Amino acid sequence: MLRTLQSDVFKILVYVAASLVLAAAMAPWIYNLGMGVAEITEGKDTNGLLSWIGDAARRSETNFPRFFDRSLLLSALLLLGPVVAWLRVGRDGRRFRDTPWSLRLPETVVSDAGQPLRSNPNGWPQWIVGFLLAGGLLLVSGWVMVKAGFFMWRDAAESVHGVPNPWLEDIRWGSAVRKALPSALMVSLIEEVLFRGILLGIFLRAMKPAAAIVSLSFLFAFVHFLEPPMGAKVPDPEALDAGFVFLGQILARFAEPFSMIGRFAMLVTLSVVLSVARWRTASLWLPIGLHAGWVFCYQVFKSATWPVSGLPKLAEWLVGGSLMEGLLPLAVVVMTGVVVALMTRARTDDPLENA
């Protein structure tokens, strides 16, 4: 028990929980501060930074979730220093760069715990293959789902089954690509460095590869699942418990079968595929490419289509409101994972063989 409490994995989980609690406590204070700045700066020529904060607060006055998001980011930053000091960094006599969960290890380090990230001479080819593989399969599946009537093109008068388009508009492909590409590159880089570069290394120190991959994938899904249900509102955003009321609404999603199967299972599977790619290649090139391909094609497809409403309940289970929700998109991600496993099977230290 004592060993578990002292493990780095346990400390990471405590960090996540503490960040949520601190954010819930801070959210109403941040909201009241923002509203105060908005009231002071309204219609006045004030300091540029104050005016910007006031304008942002006025635009978000009825959007308490945005204040909670900012509070969560702030709490994560505030607790980052203590958790880094709490983690066992350099306590075994090695420098941080020589620990198995650092971002880059020298080739001379023997990986007796965890897995070092090695220099990858095939990095760019793996990135390109990952991007094309993930994005290509996703777009092909999206085209199939349009033909099956789950989605309709935004510039089409109706779906293939005759459902009228209530928001007819032109598709701006160039604009969609320009908006999606920077976002895909940034999100994939940041999240893969954090989750597969750092956190997976920490998990690999504490458990066998297969268990580490699955455990990290559940943490990845949990963090990305922290969104309120559609239409969630806080009755009194100025109340001291407003943040905890909102946090309860977020956690209530874990009791919804449709959300768990349609979204949570997808997030877990995505992370498993990315983590296996990181483990099999001992680098981040392939997972970053896969992640970027998914994000880019998801956003482009979303900019070009509408989900078709009024479908039978069974259809909603098969395909949700986006290209990354439902059983059919889940099957596409599984298929991508199978291809990734076959591509990288030359490695002998397979996580499934060492489970």
Side-chain angles (χ1 to χ4, degrees):
M1 181 65 177
L2 181 60
R3 183 177 179 181
T4 300
L5 296 178
Q6 291 176 343
S7 72
D8 289 342
V9 172
F10 174 76
K11 294 171 184 178
I12 292 297
L13 297 179
V14 170
Y15 169 66
V16 173
S19 297
L20 287 172
V21 172
L22 182 58
M26 292 172 54
W29 295 92
I30 299 295
Y31 176 85
N32 287 322
L33 178 61
M35 292 301 101
V37 174
E39 184 177 347
I40 292 173
T41 58
E42 187 173 10
K44 298 179 182 178
D45 185 15
T46 58
N47 177 274
L49 177 60
L50 285 178
S51 296
W52 179 80
I53 295 174
D55 291 340
R58 277 188 292 274
R59 290 194 300 269
S60 305
E61 183 174 1
T62 59
N63 189 3
F64 186 80
R66 179 169 294 182
F67 286 94
F68 185 89
D69 289 344
R70 302 300 182 268
S71 301
L72 183 57
L73 177 61
L74 181 59
S75 64
L77 291 174
L78 290 174
L79 295 176
L80 184 60
V83 78
V84 169
W86 192 23
L87 289 168
R88 295 176 297 177
V89 177
R91 295 185 186 179
D92 55 0
R94 291 181 293 175
R95 295 172 298 172
F96 172 79
R97 71 184 297 269
D98 296 330
T99 58
W101 53 284
S102 62
L103 288 178
R104 176 76 171 84
L105 290 180
E107 296 292 337
T108 56
V109 172
V110 177
S111 177
D112 57 347
Q115 183 204 40
L117 291 172
R118 303 294 187 183
S119 177
N120 187 351
N122 299 316
W124 278 112
Q126 287 185 358
W127 187 94
I128 294 172
V129 169
F131 185 94
L132 295 177
L133 172 64
L137 286 178
L138 193 64
L139 283 183
V140 169
S141 70
W143 179 81
V144 171
M145 291 174 195
V146 169
K147 292 298 183 181
F150 293 103
F151 297 93
M152 69 176 73
W153 299 114
R154 293 195 175 197
D155 59 356
E158 58 184 27
S159 72
V160 294
H161 295 312
V163 178
N165 185 349
W167 304 290
L168 189 64
E169 63 179 44
D170 293 333
I171 300 176
R172 298 178 175 86
W173 292 104
S175 176
V177 170
R178 287 193 298 271
K179 290 180 180 179
L181 187 57
S183 174
L185 296 176
M186 184 178 300
V187 168
S188 61
L189 179 61
I190 292 174
E191 292 198 355
E192 290 312 302
V193 168
L194 174 60
F195 284 98
R196 258 60 63 177
I198 297 176
L199 292 181
L200 183 57
I202 295 176
F203 277 57
L204 286 167
R205 289 180 58 176
M207 55 189 75
K208 292 183 178 180
I213 288 172
V214 172
S215 299
L216 176 72
S217 297
F218 273 93
L219 177 61
F220 177 85
F222 175 80
V223 171
H224 285 76
F225 202 66
L226 293 177
E227 298 176 356
M230 188 70 67
K233 294 182 179 180
V234 177
D236 184 7
E238 297 183 2
L240 293 180
D241 65 342
F244 291 97
V245 171
F246 185 70
L247 180 59
Q249 294 177 351
I250 293 176
L251 297 179
R253 293 188 67 203
F254 288 90
E256 300 174 0
F258 182 80
S259 295
M260 292 298 291
I261 295 177
R263 180 67 175 165
F264 190 82
M266 171 66 79
L267 291 168
V268 171
T269 307
L270 284 171
S271 181
V272 168
V273 174
L274 295 170
S275 298
V276 169
R278 183 267 204 224
W279 171 260
R280 288 284 188 88
T281 63
S283 76
L284 295 178
W285 286 97
L286 181 56
I288 290 176
L290 290 165
H291 200 150
W294 275 324
V295 173
F296 174 75
C297 293
Y298 166 81
Q299 292 188 359
V300 170
F301 184 82
K302 184 178 179 180
S303 299
T305 61
W306 299 115
V308 176
S309 59
L311 296 177
K313 195 64 178 179
L314 176 60
E316 294 180 5
W317 282 90
L318 292 175
V319 179
S322 75
L323 200 54
M324 298 300 283
E325 297 179 15
L327 296 177
L328 292 182
L330 179 62
V332 174
V333 174
V334 171
M335 185 186 308
T336 306
V338 171
V339 176
V340 168
L342 293 175
M343 285 169 47
T344 57
R345 66 183 305 174
R347 283 185 58 88
T348 57
D349 47 351
D350 192 301
L352 298 179
E353 295 178 1
N354 291 278

